[in-house]
Structure formats: C-alpha cells, structure tokens
C-alpha cells in the first residue's frame, strides 16, 4: 500500500534492524507506508502499483544500498535481444556451430545445453550486435519465470540470444559474483520488483538498469568465483562424464554405440506385414530407420519383451484436477508436469506444483511413488525422469508412470534406455500432426531388452555417482548464494567465515 511515511516504515529503519524486519515480513507483514514525495519525485517511471512497494522489496533495497553499491546500468552495458521475429524456428539448422540461446536455455547460473538449437552463418553474421562472448551474462526478461540469470562460458560460444533475454556486457564487477548476486534472494527479488504486465509479465530495460548491486572487496568477489567456477563447474563436468559413461555402456551392450540411422527414406511393405500387423497405414511409421533400430534391440542375446512385462502395474497417464497450486509447497502433495523433468533423468523439485491431500485421495489411481519412471507422451515425446522425491504426487495427462519390477530392470536403467534408445521407438508410435501423441495402448508396444544384471549394476553405479556430483554442485551454488546474502545482511568477513565452514563440511577446498 502507498501512503504517508511513518516511523514504522521499513525504509525508515536503520540497517541494524533490517534483518528483524525482514523476518517479520516473512511471518506475514504485507503492508508498507511510502511517502508521496518518493512515489512522485524519486521515481522516474512514476510507479504507483502497490506490488512495487512490497515491504520485502523495500527491505532488500535498503539492505543492499546501506553500504557501497551501484546500479546495474552503471556496472554493465545492457543490450536487449533482437526483435521477436528476427529468428524463428524456420531459421534453425542442423550444423552445430552458431548457437541460438532461447529464453528456456537460461537457467540459474549457467546455460542449459541439453537441447541446443543453431542458426546459419549468414544469420549469425547479420546479428553481430547480439554476439555473445565468454563471461557475458544473460537475464530472462519475459514470461512467468523472468529474472533467471546465467553466465556465458567459452563452451557456449559462438552464439546469439533471443528477445526473451537481456545481455549484461563488460561487467565492472566480477561476473561470477554478479551472477551469484542476481540469483540470490536479494538480487532476484529486486529484478522481479520491476514486473510489468499480467498475461505476459516481464521487465523493461529501464527497470533492469536501476537494480542496485552491492560492491564488495575484490577478495570476496574472487572467493565467490572460486566456488562457482572452479568447484561447481568441475563437479558439473564430472557428472556429465559419468552420465555419458553410463549411456555408452548401455549402447555398447546393445551393439548401438556407433549406430547411425539409415538415410534411406523408402520402405516397401506388403499389406499383410503392414496394416494387418500394426493397423498403421501412415508412411512415417514404416521409415527404415525405425525397423533397423528395432531389429538391433531384438537381436540382443538375452532377449527382449514388451514394456508391460517389466512393470508391476499397468501403464497409466494422469489428468489435471481443479485447484492445482502453481508453486512447490513443502508438506503438500505434488503435481507433476513435463516442465519438471530435467535432462539428467531427475525431477527439478522447484518446478513441481502442489495439490491438497483431498485431491491426492480423489486421484489415487494416478498417484506416483518414489522410483516410478515418468515419461512424456505429448509434444516432446520420450522425455523421462525418475521420481526421487519423498512427497506423494499425481501426474498430468501428458505423462505416464511406469512402476518397475526391480528384479527385471532398475528404474534408472529403464529411464536411460528410454531416453537414449526407446524415445525413437516411441516417436514411431505417435499419432497426430499439430500435437503429436502416444496413447497408452501404443506405448505398450515399446520393446525393452532383458539386460544382464551385471551391466545394469555398472550403469546404475555411474548414474548414482553422476547424481551425487550434481547434488554437490547444487549445494555449492547454494553456499555461494547464501554467502552473498550473508555479506549483504551482515558483512563480508563473517560471510567468508561461514562459506569456509560450509566448504569444510563438504570436504571441499578452494585453491
């Protein structure tokens, strides 16, 4: 609420009392008094919406500006992305040289490289003002989840970016520190403070430029860089290596490690061996590459079965009930969408929605338990994750759940098989043009090799080690963020002591 300034306004409190006020806000205080002068004269954009003056925004702003600081527009050159129609999906090419960074590729701290797309040299060269360089920073500025911040690394270049992001270039502070601050609770909240629009929320260039940034010593900033760059990145890379090792083991066992799909596009089939056996008359179903892949899986020495023969329950997809809460709330059952799947066969807990206990009971038949394998059957078919969350959950209509008989196949191994091999066989089963879809009866046609237990054990070991390193990497990012938050709310000396204690507990040393 905007009104006259009073002594109880968070803005009128000294820095030493801000932390207690912040805790009160977390406990339910939702109003702030702001002077008319500030609204009218200290605000170039004349923001009068009450959300802009949310008490927590005011507290965080005061904490950041209480000591040495500057505005983001003074510390970086800000460059908005190209007009939306400049690059469309028609411009994507198979040549993997010039990457195009979409809004969804900008994740916390780093760019997601699990599903990259590329453009041609001519288009790339024509957009030279949008070329990315190592240590540039991208901030998403459009969509419900705007405000995510990622650092551009050498491996991400050469690249250009989309209209969904704004580029922060030539930072006058350590870019690793800056991306950590913008990802921590203070920086992220102050970015989202400038939200405009309802149906398509976002932030404009002016509001982004005015975000305050604390200026800490070079020693502290470099300390944060060591955590994010040296420790976290090395763990992420090791995790990728272990995941690739697991996939290579699986492909090698099935004789598919060096397999490449045929470029032949014509197949001649008799009516008996086509329609009478499969019920399909569409040419796409009979592409030679599908026949070759299926033949290779079926030639596995230990044999194969249809997927229903490795499960303890029937395959089911879900639904979207009324009353879904669009955030992850602790101690509430969860609602799972494809958006919560990551590319490491895991669920992003932060991307889960929530439901009430009554809803879970009503839809018990589509409830999900720990270790169930979840697979997308609409849109991008064959995305897969293993549910490793303790909270009970249900799935939406675009996902099927597979409850493995662990005496035949481990959940993580089945998930890896579907992602690396089974996805192509599922795509063969899809119907529909505008929205591709695999129904449950067709999904049951998926074939699964009866893998040797020793091979499964080795693959599972690699996946578990990869998961452990990903988890430790996430812990390090949280330590970096919390360390910056402590430096803002206390001081950088005490923040440094806390950071070092956390690293010691993890058995990590900064070099």
């Amino acid at each position: 609420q905007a009104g006259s300034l009073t002594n109880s306004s968070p803005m009128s409190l000294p820095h030493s009392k801000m932390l207690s006020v912040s805790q009160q806000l977390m406990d339910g205080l939702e109003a702030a008094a702001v002077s008319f002068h500030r609204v009218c004269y200290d605000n170039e954009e004349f923001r009068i919406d009450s959300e802009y003056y949310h008490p927590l925004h005011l507290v965080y702003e005061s904490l950041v500006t209480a000591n040495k600081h500057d505005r983001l527009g003074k510390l970086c050159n800000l460059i908005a992305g190209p007009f939306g129609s400049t690059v469309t999906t028609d411009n994507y090419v198979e040549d993997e040289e010039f990457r195009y960074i979409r809004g969804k590729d900008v994740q916390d701290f780093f760019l997601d490289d699990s599903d990259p797309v590329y453009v041609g040299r001519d288009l790339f060269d024509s957009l030279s003002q949008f070329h990315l360089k190592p240590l540039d920073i991208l901030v998403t500025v459009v969509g419900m989840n705007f405000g995510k911040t990622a650092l551009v690394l050498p491996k991400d270049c050469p690249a250009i970016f989309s209209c969904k992001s704004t580029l922060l270039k030539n930072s006058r502070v350590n870019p690793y520190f800056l991306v950590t601050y913008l990802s921590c609770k203070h920086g992220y909240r102050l970015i989202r403070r400038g939200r405009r629009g309802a149906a398509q929320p976002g932030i404009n260039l002016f509001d982004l430029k005015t975000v305050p940034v604390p200026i800490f010593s070079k020693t502290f900033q470099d300390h944060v860089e060591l955590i994010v760059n040296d420790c976290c990145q090395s763990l992420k890379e090791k995790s990728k290596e272990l995941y690739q090792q697991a996939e290579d083991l699986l492909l090698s066992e099935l004789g598919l490690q060096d397999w490449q799909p045929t470029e032949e596009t014509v197949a001649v089939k008799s009516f008996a061996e086509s329609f009478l056996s499969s019920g399909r008359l569409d040419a796409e179903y009979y592409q030679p590459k599908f026949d070759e892949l299926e033949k290779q899986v079926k030639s596995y020495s230990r044999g194969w079965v249809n997927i229903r023969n490795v499960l303890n329950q029937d395959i089911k997809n879900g639904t979207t009930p009324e009353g879904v809460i669009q955030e992850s709330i602790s101690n509430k059952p969860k609602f799972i969408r494809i958006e919560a799947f990551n590319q490491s066969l895991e669920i992003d807990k932060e991307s889960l929605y929530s439901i009430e206990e009554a809803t879970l009971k009503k839809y018990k038949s589509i409830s999900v338990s720990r270790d169930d394998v979840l697979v997308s059957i609409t849109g991008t078919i064959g995305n897969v994750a293993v549910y490793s969350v303790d909270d009970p959950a249900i799935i939406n209509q675009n996902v099927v759940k597979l409850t493995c008989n662990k005496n035949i196949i481990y959940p993580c191994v089945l998930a890896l098989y579907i992602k690396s091999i089974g996805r192509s066989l599922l795509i063969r089963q899809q119907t529909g043009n505008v929205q591709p879809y695999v129904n449950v009866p067709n999904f049951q046609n998926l074939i699964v090799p009866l893998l040797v237990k020793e091979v499964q054990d080795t693959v599972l070991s690699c996946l578990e080690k990869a998961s452990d390193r990903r988890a430790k990497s996430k812990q390090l990012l949280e330590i970096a963020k919390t360390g910056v938050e402590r430096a803002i709310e206390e001081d950088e000396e005490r923040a440094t002591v806390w950071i070092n204690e956390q690293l010691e507990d993890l058995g990590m040393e900064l070099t």
Side-chain angles (χ1 to χ4, degrees):
Q1 295 177 352
S4 60
L5 183 65
T6 70
N7 288 333
S8 62
S9 167
M11 286 301 294
S12 66
L13 292 174
H15 180 270
S16 60
K17 296 184 179 179
M18 283 297 169
L19 295 183
S20 62
V21 172
S22 177
Q23 184 58 51
Q24 292 175 33
L25 293 171
M26 295 297 188
D27 292 339
L29 179 60
E30 296 180 355
V34 182
S35 71
F36 180 79
H37 183 277
R38 178 174 184 186
V39 173
C40 294
Y41 300 106
D42 293 344
N43 179 2
E44 295 181 43
E45 293 283 282
F46 194 62
R47 295 291 293 264
I48 61 173
D49 48 310
S50 61
E51 291 82 4
Y52 187 80
Y53 298 99
H54 188 286
L56 199 53
H57 293 155
L58 302 181
V59 169
Y60 284 177
E61 181 182 44
S62 292
L63 286 168
V64 172
T65 59
N67 296 300
K68 188 176 180 181
H69 69 281
D70 212 333
R71 301 289 168 174
L72 192 59
K74 296 289 185 66
L75 296 172
C76 304
N77 300 326
L78 273 66
I79 302 171
F83 192 71
S85 61
T86 304
V87 182
T88 66
T89 55
D90 293 337
N91 298 119
Y92 296 171
V93 299
E94 293 185 4
D95 185 25
E96 299 180 359
E97 184 174 2
F98 303 106
R99 188 175 173 189
Y100 178 60
I101 309 297
R102 301 153 296 178
K104 72 174 187 177
D105 297 326
V106 181
Q107 299 297 321
D108 291 333
F109 282 88
F110 304 108
L111 296 174
D112 180 16
D113 57 5
S114 62
D115 181 32
V117 295
Y118 300 87
V119 297
R121 176 180 291 275
D122 290 344
L123 180 58
F124 178 81
D125 290 342
S126 70
L127 297 172
S128 58
Q129 68 270 41
F130 305 111
H131 286 186
L132 295 173
K133 292 183 178 180
L135 301 188
D136 284 347
I137 295 173
L138 287 173
V139 181
T140 56
V141 293
V142 179
M144 294 302 296
N145 294 321
F146 80 88
K148 290 198 172 190
T149 311
L151 193 69
V152 178
L153 300 176
K155 69 180 181 61
D156 303 317
C157 300
I160 56 175
F161 62 103
S162 77
C163 62
K164 304 291 186 181
S165 302
T166 289
L167 171 62
L168 311 183
K169 205 170 189 66
N170 302 321
S171 172
R172 293 170 181 80
V173 295
N174 187 309
Y176 289 94
F177 162 76
L178 182 56
V179 78
T180 305
Y181 164 69
L182 294 176
S183 299
C184 82
K185 65 183 182 183
H186 303 87
Y188 181 70
R189 183 93 187 199
L190 291 174
I191 288 176
R192 290 184 64 84
R193 179 189 191 184
R195 170 178 172 150
R196 300 170 186 265
Q200 180 73 321
I203 183 173
N204 67 20
L205 207 58
F206 175 85
D207 289 323
L208 200 54
K209 287 180 178 179
T210 61
V211 172
V213 178
I215 307 297
F216 295 118
S217 69
K218 182 179 184 301
T219 300
F220 182 78
Q221 293 184 45
D222 291 346
H223 206 58
V224 172
E225 177 183 347
L226 284 172
I227 299 172
V228 177
N229 186 29
D230 291 6
C231 297
C232 176
Q233 269 299 99
S234 64
L235 284 169
K236 283 174 67 71
E237 292 306 314
K238 183 59 178 176
S239 175
K240 289 181 181 178
E241 290 175 10
L242 286 164
Y243 180 89
Q244 189 60 54
Q245 185 178 339
E247 188 173 81
D248 289 345
L249 282 167
L250 177 61
L251 293 173
S252 178
E253 176 69 11
L254 297 175
L256 288 166
Q257 187 166 14
D258 299 319
W259 181 80
Q260 293 293 329
T262 179
E263 296 182 0
E264 181 62 55
T265 58
V266 177
V268 178
K269 301 285 184 179
S270 68
F271 184 77
E273 67 178 325
S274 58
F275 180 75
L276 292 182
S277 62
S278 67
R280 300 286 291 264
L281 284 175
D282 50 308
E284 289 78 11
Y285 181 87
Y286 298 101
Q287 292 182 61
K289 63 180 180 181
F290 294 138
D291 285 335
E292 287 186 2
L293 182 57
E294 185 172 298
K295 181 179 179 181
Q296 185 63 37
V297 174
K298 287 183 175 180
S299 69
Y300 180 56
S301 59
R302 301 275 296 189
W304 60 274
V305 293
N306 286 96
I307 191 168
R308 61 180 177 272
N309 297 117
V310 302
L311 305 178
N312 283 333
Q313 296 180 12
D314 292 338
I315 300 171
K316 292 183 178 180
N317 67 313
T319 188
T320 299
E322 294 183 358
V324 172
I325 305 166
Q326 296 188 11
E327 60 178 313
S328 182
I329 301 175
S330 60
N331 300 322
K332 281 188 179 292
K334 300 298 183 284
F335 178 68
I336 306 170
R337 309 162 301 138
I338 298 171
E339 289 78 2
F341 295 13
N342 66 27
Q343 294 299 314
S344 302
L345 308 180
E346 296 175 344
I347 293 288
D348 287 325
K349 297 179 183 179
E350 298 79 8
S351 300
L352 292 171
Y353 285 176
S354 303
I355 54 174
E356 302 294 346
E357 288 287 348
T359 305
L360 177 67
K361 291 179 181 178
K362 182 178 180 180
Y363 294 96
K364 188 176 181 180
S365 64
I366 55 170
S367 63
V368 174
S369 302
R370 190 177 184 88
D371 289 340
D372 278 349
V373 178
L374 309 176
V375 187
S376 62
I377 55 173
T378 302
T380 305
I381 291 167
N383 276 356
V384 60
V386 179
Y387 191 68
S388 57
V389 183
D390 290 325
D391 295 327
I394 63 173
I395 51 178
N396 77 356
Q397 63 276 9
N398 300 324
V399 178
V400 295
K401 69 162 185 169
L402 313 174
T403 303
C404 291
N405 181 338
K406 296 178 183 178
N407 292 322
I408 300 175
I409 193 166
Y410 300 144
C412 286
V413 175
L414 177 61
L416 182 63
Y417 167 75
I418 291 174
K419 182 183 178 183
S420 58
I421 301 166
R423 171 181 285 174
S424 294
L425 299 177
L426 285 174
I427 290 172
R428 181 182 201 178
Q429 300 292 337
Q430 74 183 27
T431 57
N433 294 316
V434 177
Q435 180 74 315
Y437 177 77
V438 177
N439 61 30
V440 171
N442 285 341
F443 194 100
Q444 292 176 341
N445 293 326
L446 178 64
I447 60 173
V448 177
L450 295 171
L451 294 162
V452 180
K453 184 179 184 300
E454 290 74 17
V455 172
Q456 291 195 56
D457 288 338
T458 305
V459 170
L460 182 61
S461 176
C462 290
L463 292 176
E464 288 176 340
K465 290 177 182 177
S467 179
D468 177 69
R469 282 158 178 77
R470 279 193 301 275
K472 188 170 284 190
S473 175
K474 289 181 180 178
Q475 286 180 289
L476 286 169
L477 293 181
E478 288 301 316
I479 289 172
K481 287 197 294 186
T482 305
V484 171
E485 291 165 3
R486 283 175 171 259
I488 292 169
E489 296 180 353
E490 300 174 31
D491 58 63
E492 63 178 79
E493 289 76 15
R494 279 186 282 185
T496 301
V497 170
W498 180 86
I499 287 172
N500 291 337
E501 290 174 347
Q502 302 305 306
L503 294 176
E504 185 177 348
D505 288 344
L506 283 177
M508 304 290 293
E509 291 185 9
L510 297 183
T511 57

